[in-house]
Amino acid sequence: MATGLRRLLLLLVLWTLAAPARPGSGKAGDGGWQRCGPGVPAAVAEEQRCTVERRADLSYAEFVQHYAFSRPVILQGLTDNLKFRALCSRQRLLASFGDSVVRLSTANTYSYQKVDLPFREYVEQLLHPQDPTSLGNDTLYFFGDNNFTEWASLFRHYSPPPFRLLGTTPAYSFGIAGAGSGVPFHWHGPGFSEVIYGRKRWFLYPPEKTPEFHPNKTTLAWFRDTYPALAPSARPLECTIQAGEVLYFPDRWWHATLNLDTSVFISTFLS
């Protein structure tokens, strides 16, 4: 009897340890950031099949030969950012930078409008799921425009991907955004994007294949209205980047993003 009871308790403990944290539970695994919750359309989910290659054993020579100038790739296990991740929890960022003024951009292709306000106000009042009826130029998004002097105490703990391109200089852009938010299609130079908390779904087209989109509509609106009607040949490369993974995108590749949860992320642009 005692043996059976011990076995039952052991199974219960193992089940508890293995059970994933509930979305929105604010447990340590999410850094206190609310995951996908009320207000996020049910259709916002991971793709059925990732069409971007994942590599966990990529050498620099392979990176340059097969990906750097030709196609995106998802890198796994190349960086160790556990300390940076811990510093990016909701509680620690608010404690360290709550009174710092951050610059928000509108979530449209050209990001015309800029708004300055305290980081705490953004997190506590504006960081919520994307309104499906809002336009991109009415949606404020915290990404880039970072004060590198003020945020240096955080950025110095980040380990970027070890791969570089000749003649480029890395520059960081740090961001936090709500579930269902994202930036519609645009392009620029090459770079890496790492998810620290949450999940970020990416849609990518090569430079010669301009996507069908409206620059002032959100990625969520494009995903709802345009994406379902795309012919298979017109579909983008797509994949959901999980926490700890890094996406590399080559020069001038069109891309749009859609945060599936409240997401914390950092990009290393090679310019």
Side-chain angles (χ1 to χ4, degrees), residues 30-163:
D30 295 328
W33 301 102
Q34 182 180 7
R35 296 195 68 188
C36 185
V40 181
V44 178
E46 295 186 23
E47 67 290 334
Q48 291 185 345
R49 185 174 70 90
C50 171
T51 52
V52 180
E53 190 176 358
R54 278 185 163 93
R55 291 293 304 270
D57 55 351
L58 192 65
S59 69
Y60 179 66
E62 289 177 301
F63 170 72
V64 171
Q65 182 178 358
H66 298 295
Y67 304 102
F69 307 103
S70 58
R71 55 184 169 148
V73 63
I74 298 167
L75 307 173
Q76 298 177 312
L78 280 182
T79 60
D80 180 2
N81 279 305
L82 288 178
K83 184 173 183 179
F84 182 77
R85 189 172 194 264
L87 294 172
C88 288
S89 70
R90 187 179 190 276
Q91 181 180 6
R92 296 186 74 166
L93 282 183
L94 285 175
S96 300
F97 303 103
D99 296 328
S100 299
V101 173
V102 294
R103 173 159 291 180
L104 310 181
S105 302
T106 49
N108 54 352
T109 294
Y110 303 111
S111 299
Y112 294 122
Q113 185 183 354
K114 306 288 183 181
V115 175
D116 294 341
L117 80 173
F119 178 66
R120 184 180 306 278
E121 184 177 336
Y122 172 69
V123 170
E124 296 181 348
Q125 299 182 27
L126 297 180
L127 188 60
H128 47 65
Q130 174 71 47
D131 180 353
T133 64
S134 293
L135 292 174
N137 51 331
D138 294 328
T139 302
L140 292 173
Y141 195 82
F142 174 47
F143 177 56
D145 288 315
N146 306 121
N147 184 324
F148 288 95
T149 301
E150 197 167 14
W151 289 71
S153 60
L154 175 66
F155 292 153
R156 72 166 177 255
H157 295 289
Y158 179 65
S159 298
F163 300 154

Side-chain angles (χ1 to χ4, degrees), residues 202-223:
W202 282 70
F203 307 91
L204 305 108
Y205 286 99
E208 68 275 8
K209 196 170 183 178
T210 303
E212 178 186 344
F213 73 101
H214 189 292
N216 278 333
K217 288 189 176 180
T218 63
T219 305
L220 184 59
W222 173 86
F223 183 72

Side-chain angles (χ1 to χ4, degrees), residues 175-191:
I176 304 171
S181 66
V183 178
F185 282 104
H186 62 287
W187 60 265
H188 44 66

